[in-house]
Amino acid sequence: MARESSRPGITEVANLAGVSLSTVSRAMNGNPTVDPALAERVRAAAAELGYTANPVARSLVLGRTQTVAVVIPDLENPTFQAILRGLSRAATADGYHVLVADSREDLDEEHTLARATRLRTDGVILCAPRMPEEELATLLPALSPAVVINRGPQISAPVVGADYGLGMREIVDHLTSLGHRRLVYLAGATRSVTHKARQEAIAAAVSRLDRLEVEEITAGVDFDSGTAVADQVLASGATAVIAYNDLVAMGLLSALTVRRVEVPGQLSITGFDDIPFAAYTSPPLTTAAVPAVDLGAAAWAAMHAQLTGGEPTPALTMTPTLVVRGSASAPRED
């Protein structure tokens, strides 16, 4: 039985084109120092032989992997999935791959993943890192080039984020315009900057608005977190709830349905993020829509600028939009 012919290599291309191995390598990698006529001869020889460059060898020659890492705190969260979708689509369009690492809300894991993935990629994008400001500032130089999503603009890397404080203000103003004065805030990722932005917006509203009371209950970031605090919410005497995100709001909504509590008749509920399911709950969820896909695309643009020597990207903040649906209405009069 005849043996199948071996795959053509760079030596065969060099021999056919009549050039050196280094010229083939530089021509195939698009090095502008190669004479255009020589480069065309190399490409024609490669095409005739059916030669394609080995991607691993190419990365060694270029010193690049054409891959970036994205470290996120929770891959199951639809908001982070949307950010990844926007980021990966934009990266793919520029010829890059995306390596995703999930820290599972673990600070130690977040550090480890960020450093480990940087060794295998051209840069790291930290999506909503939970680590304290000083730890993040110490870590970023070791990751460069790096981009950070949803942190303060004072850090030493490009930052892309949403104005969660403004989104929270719009939710509070909407509920108070309906007549609510006793609210509950279900706190989620309490170590995150976005949680602090929510807290500050609530505190400002309490100072600004007459007779407004907001009780904070520590919940979590997922569906089960909302379900678990249903009895606490009912015991608070509040007429409306602001959940940390839509998942928590949906968990609470489910638990209240089991308890036969009318929403919004007996209790209004609002979320945050506007994940795809928010419009299809019963009743549909009032929330603040975060442009997550656009955040991901903007994060990639900031990374790509660093990888290609482009202009540094200034801090970019996007604005959430209030989406009014059926889960919030005026409080029932006793």
Side-chain angles (χ1 to χ4, degrees), residues 251-264:
L252 175 61
L253 183 59
S254 177
L256 295 179
T257 300
V258 172
R259 289 164 174 76
R260 299 185 183 281
V261 176
E262 295 179 21
V263 176

Side-chain angles (χ1 to χ4, degrees), residues 73-110:
D74 182 8
L75 188 53
E76 294 183 350
N77 188 310
T79 297
F80 295 131
Q81 293 173 10
I83 290 173
L84 283 174
R85 185 162 60 251
L87 196 158
S88 61
R89 286 176 179 173
T92 298
D94 285 326
Y96 281 78
H97 304 286
V98 176
L99 171 67
V100 180
D102 183 354
S103 68
R104 300 169 296 180
E105 297 283 354
D106 185 317
L107 281 180
D108 292 334
E109 186 75 358
E110 191 171 67

Side-chain angles (χ1 to χ4, degrees), residues 166-190:
L166 179 58
M168 178 59 78
R169 173 174 177 149
E170 290 198 354
I171 289 175
V172 173
D173 285 351
H174 175 63
L175 291 174
T176 54
S177 71
L178 293 173
H180 295 279
R181 286 298 180 272
R182 298 190 65 184
L183 311 179
V184 162
Y185 166 52
L186 299 182
T190 54

Side-chain angles (χ1 to χ4, degrees), residues 6 13 18 47 50 58 85 139-140 146 174 200 202 209 228 243 262 293 314:
S6 60
V13 176
R58 185 174 187 273
R85 185 162 60 251
L139 176 64
L140 283 172
H174 175 63
E200 290 171 359
I202 289 172
L209 300 172
E262 295 179 21
V293 173

Side-chain angles (χ1 to χ4, degrees), residues 29-31 54-68 94-97 118-123 145 304 306-309:
N29 288 322
N31 191 314
N54 184 302
V56 175
R58 185 174 187 273
S59 69
L60 290 173
V61 171
L62 296 176
R64 298 197 302 268
T65 65
Q66 294 298 112
T67 302
V68 296
D94 285 326
Y96 281 78
H97 304 286
R118 179 62 184 91
L119 296 176
R120 297 168 174 81
T121 60
D122 299 333
H304 191 245
Q306 295 181 81
L307 294 173
T308 57

